[in-house]
């Protein structure tokens, strides 16, 4: 893992330099979903401080095992309404807000005494029906509305491009998110964050202006547990949580 983490850092520096950008403008979030707490601790020992998780229950279990470490936790998975309270209580960032009702719940449920949660609006730039995220057309209004909520600090936009695209189309989708950020900035909502770039599109995302890259496989190796198995399987098991 240590070597892979260093290789990813080197790749970020190289891609940023190639794009004429400062490597320090790019924040690396290590995506530790399905990985054991020990793997997070090992990365922390190598200086990694930002970690991303997709599944609330899994993340909270890890957080309690790692309570002795100063970690910035990022929630990056699809958000169910009945999980917003746990996300608002436990995470520092949330990247995957795709509707106003979720933004409102996260804001209202952010514990008093904690700073507003740093937030990104997830945009479905590929238009794939299966993918979460608001449409590009909805993004500006959602940013505007979410920016008025006291418990959130809206920082930017996040996307997960369609996998396995030819390079040119991959680039098109990443650049679409940057263009949207510029348009929204023009609407008077200054956004400083573009959360895009995964193991397979890291270089392209940095070339397209990413400021946060979310890297799992390239750091921790292939996930042996499928994300569906590792999740709390909400579609199979009724959640004991109730809407509140
Ligand atoms: C799993 C995941 C990542 C990391 O993907 P890798 O291909 O393993 O780097 C990044 N972002 C989101 C939203 C994810 O679900």
């Amino acid at each position: 893992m240590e070597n892979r983490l260093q290789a990813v850092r080197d790749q970020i520096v190289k891609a940023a330099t190639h794009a004429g950008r400062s490597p320090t403008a790019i924040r690396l979030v290590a995506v530790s979903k399905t990985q054991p707490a020990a793997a997070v601790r090992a990365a922390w020992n190598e200086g990694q401080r930002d970690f991303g998780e997709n599944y609330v229950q899994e993340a909270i279990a890890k957080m309690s095992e790692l309570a002795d470490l100063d970690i910035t936790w990022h929630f990056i998975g699809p958000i169910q309404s009945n999980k917003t309270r746990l996300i608002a209580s436990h995470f520092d960032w949330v990247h995957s807000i795709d509707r106003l009702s979720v933004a409102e719940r996260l804001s209202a449920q952010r514990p008093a005494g904690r700073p507003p949660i740093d937030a990104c609006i997830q945009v479905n730039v590929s238009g794939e029906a299966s993918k979460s995220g608001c449409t590009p057309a909805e993004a500006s209004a959602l940013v505007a509305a979410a920016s008025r909520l006291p418990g959130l600090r809206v920082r930017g936009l996040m996307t997960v491009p369609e996998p396995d695209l030819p390079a040119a189309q991959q680039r098109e989708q990443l650049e679409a998110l940057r263009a949207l950020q510029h348009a929204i900035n023009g609407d008077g909502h200054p956004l400083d964050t573009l959360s895009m770039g995964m193991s397979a599109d890291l270089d392209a995302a940095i070339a397209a202006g990413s400021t946060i890259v979310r890297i799992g496989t390239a750091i921790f190796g292939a996930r042996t547990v499928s994300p569906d198995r590792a999740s709390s399987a909400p579609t199979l098991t009724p959640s004991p949580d109730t809407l509140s």
Side-chain angles (χ1 to χ4, degrees):
M1 191 281 301
E2 291 81 356
N3 291 340
R4 284 193 294 247
L5 178 57
Q6 191 52 50
V8 168
R9 288 175 176 151
D10 293 345
Q11 190 182 349
I12 290 171
V13 170
K14 208 168 148 199
T17 307
H18 185 74
R21 303 183 54 206
S22 166
T24 59
I26 296 147
R27 182 167 181 169
L28 170 60
V29 171
V31 176
S32 46
K33 65 180 173 210
T34 80
Q35 304 294 342
V40 174
R41 188 175 291 277
W44 188 92
N45 284 331
E46 299 301 315
Q48 179 64 30
R49 292 293 179 270
D50 289 275
F51 291 89
E53 291 281 342
N54 291 52
Y55 309 106
V56 176
Q57 254 80 18
E58 180 198 340
I60 288 173
K62 258 176 248 183
M63 287 172 186
S64 66
E65 276 188 68
L66 299 167
D68 56 317
L69 306 183
D70 59 320
I71 287 177
T72 300
W73 290 104
H74 299 251
F75 189 79
I76 63 173
I79 302 176
Q80 296 167 265
S81 292
N82 64 358
K83 295 293 191 305
T84 52
R85 185 178 296 283
L86 290 172
I87 294 169
S89 309
H90 289 87
F91 285 84
D92 303 290
W93 279 74
V94 55
H95 291 235
S96 41
I97 295 175
D98 62 354
R99 55 198 190 278
L100 185 57
S101 61
V102 158
E104 287 170 341
R105 292 174 66 87
L106 289 167
S107 174
Q109 295 168 342
R110 184 67 168 168
R114 289 204 67 182
I117 191 167
D118 284 302
C120 292
I121 303 300
Q122 182 171 355
V123 184
N124 180 358
V125 289
S126 68
E128 290 166 277
S130 63
K131 192 150 281 174
S132 32
C134 70
T135 67
E138 291 164 340
S140 186
L142 185 48
V143 166
S147 297
R148 288 192 281 272
L149 299 170
L152 298 185
R153 181 173 171 220
V154 178
R155 299 292 300 271
L157 306 177
M158 180 273 228
T159 199
V160 179
E162 206 172 334
D164 307 320
L165 280 182
Q169 271 166 277
Q170 182 184 69
R171 206 181 160 113
E172 232 169 67
Q173 295 195 355
L174 296 164
E175 282 175 354
L177 196 71
R178 176 163 64 175
L180 196 55
Q181 179 198 26
H182 284 183
I184 293 172
N185 285 348
D187 292 342
H189 299 287
L191 301 178
D192 63 12
T193 299
L194 276 181
S195 170
M196 59 187 191
M198 300 168 45
S199 296
D201 62 355
L202 176 57
D203 293 346
I206 289 174
S210 173
T211 65
I212 296 185
V213 293
R214 309 177 311 266
I215 307 297
T217 311
I219 294 174
F220 295 109
R223 286 178 284 275
T224 49
V225 185
S226 92
D228 292 340
R229 296 287 307 278
S231 77
S232 51
T235 51
L236 302 176
T237 317
S239 166
D241 296 356
T242 49
L243 288 173
S244 56

